[in-house]
Amino acid sequence: MTQHDTLQRFLFDGAPVRGALVRLDGAWQQVLARRRYPLPVRTVLGEMMAAAVLLAANLKFDGTLILQMHGTGPLRLAVVECNNDRTVRATAKFDEALDERLTLAQMLGEGGKFVLTLEPRVDKAQTWQGIVALEGDSVGQMLENYMRRSEQLDTRLILAASDATAAGLLLQRLPDGHGDAEGWPHVLTLAETLQREELLTLSADDILYRLYHEEAVRVFDAESVSFACTCSRERVGGMLKMLGGQEVGEVMLEQGSVEIACDFCNQHYVFDEDDVNALFEYDVMAAVREARH
């Protein structure tokens, strides 16, 4: 039976390896339903979404793991956020005339950046950020190189995305002392036989049996993953307050209201004159008119 929108963690008893499998169907469809993405952008965003869930799987903290790609080419932004409650959201900004034959590096352009951020939910806790070098031809290769060099953690990430599903397999080598050291290359060799179509269509149980039925694998309870957006009218109001009454008032004078659309879920928030005055606790329009004269 196929398992939809699940994260499945596992541990090898005889090898120094921990792993996780993720399959996103409904959560991925929620992202695709909000905007049409060209094939290469869709592939990158789906792979980033699967990778974010996998990388967050072994983190013990209350907060959000964020993967962001910033580009100077036709792919200007791709961002995925995964919370510790296994909710995820994703969006991308790109040139509509994007050539679907471009590689990831070509889409990002010369000044492209890939950033991994851990954002704790606890007040006054420090946000941690790492820069992922654009070394490799795919999201998985770039993150593997980052984990190996920056975290000293041997990692294998196999990722895939289609119109229906985003999926991934994560394998990480544990420190010496757990299992036979020779088990790591053996586990990797078997993982390389996994086909893209199998990753996208088979359940975690079927994939683990297909690859490792001769190994002692401890499988933990499957965890549900779902799409959820953290935007709210209060958050948008806070963003408007950061812009300041003058700038918001200028928009009000020109357009009659301020309308903000969430990039992740496409929810629209409209603030009229009364809303803006209540937000800033003074007559914003009157102040802007006075400043103009």
Side-chain angles (χ1 to χ4, degrees):
M1 181 178 175
T2 302
Q3 297 161 306
H4 299 278
D5 292 303
T6 54
L7 170 71
Q8 181 73 72
R9 295 184 297 120
F10 54 92
L11 179 70
F12 288 83
D13 287 333
V17 185
R18 67 181 178 186
L21 278 157
V22 67
R23 175 177 172 143
L24 304 173
D25 303 284
W28 178 226
Q29 288 303 308
Q30 290 269 20
V31 172
L32 296 183
R34 285 162 170 80
R35 185 168 186 184
R36 180 192 171 278
Y37 294 103
L39 177 59
V41 176
R42 189 166 68 242
T43 299
V44 168
L45 197 61
E47 290 181 357
M48 286 176 66
M49 196 166 168
V53 177
L54 290 170
L55 292 174
N58 295 312
L59 294 176
K60 294 181 174 66
F61 85 117
D62 182 11
T64 306
L65 181 146
I66 306 167
L67 294 179
Q68 296 178 77
M69 284 188 175
H70 299 268
T72 58
L75 177 57
R76 298 191 299 279
L77 174 71
V79 57
V80 175
E81 297 181 1
C82 181
N83 298 302
N84 61 287
D85 62 358
R86 305 292 184 244
T87 57
V88 64
R89 63 180 189 167
T91 189
K93 294 182 179 180
F94 55 92
D95 294 342
E96 295 295 339
L98 183 144
D99 186 340
E100 297 200 355
R101 296 167 296 181
L102 296 178
T103 65
L104 176 54
Q106 290 171 332
M107 285 194 293
L108 289 173
E110 290 294 327
K113 288 195 305 183
F114 192 176
V115 183
L116 188 156
T117 304
L118 296 179
E119 194 171 85
R121 200 168 280 118
V122 181
D123 288 342
K124 297 183 180 178
Q126 264 196 326
T127 295
W128 179 92
Q129 197 167 77
I131 304 299
V132 180
L134 301 181
E135 297 175 349
D137 299 324
S138 66
V139 172
Q141 289 179 7
M142 292 174 184
L143 288 169
E144 285 174 5
N145 290 330
Y146 171 79
M147 297 300 291
R148 189 178 303 113
R149 294 182 182 181
S150 299
E151 305 299 314
Q152 286 76 54
L153 188 59
D154 285 336
T155 299
R156 182 72 176 98
L157 266 170
I158 301 175
L159 306 168
S162 67
D163 289 344
T165 306
L169 166 65
L170 168 74
L171 297 169
Q172 290 183 325
R173 182 173 185 167
L174 295 171
D176 293 341
H178 180 94
D180 181 0
E182 294 302 314
W184 170 247
H186 176 65
V187 168
L188 287 187
T189 298
L190 293 174
E192 297 306 327
T193 67
L194 181 64
Q195 301 298 308
R196 177 180 181 275
E197 197 61 25
E198 292 175 322
L199 183 59
L200 289 169
T201 58
L202 296 181
S203 70
D205 289 341
D206 288 341
I207 290 173
L208 288 174
Y209 181 80
R210 149 90 171 74
L211 296 177
Y212 303 119
H213 63 277
E214 295 184 352
E215 314 300 321
V217 182
R218 199 181 317 168
V219 180
F220 301 100
D221 291 339
E223 302 171 55
S224 295
V225 184
S226 60
F227 174 90
C229 191
T230 55
C231 74
S232 67
R233 188 171 181 85
E234 291 71 27
R235 285 192 172 203
V236 174
M239 183 188 71
L240 293 178
K241 289 186 77 170
M242 289 178 65
L243 288 175
Q246 179 69 28
E247 186 167 341
V248 173
E250 294 284 354
V251 175
M252 290 291 301
L253 278 179
E254 292 176 13
Q255 301 179 8
S257 65
V258 178
E259 183 172 349
I260 305 291
C262 175
D263 287 332
F264 290 96
C265 69
N266 207 32
Q267 175 71 43
H268 286 247
Y269 298 93
V270 179
F271 291 74
D272 61 19
E273 185 173 348
D274 290 339
D275 295 328
V276 170
N277 289 343
L279 188 66
F280 288 95
E281 299 180 339
Y282 67 89
D283 191 331
V284 173
M285 301 283 279
V288 172
R289 291 191 186 97
E290 185 177 335
R292 285 188 172 187
H293 293 92

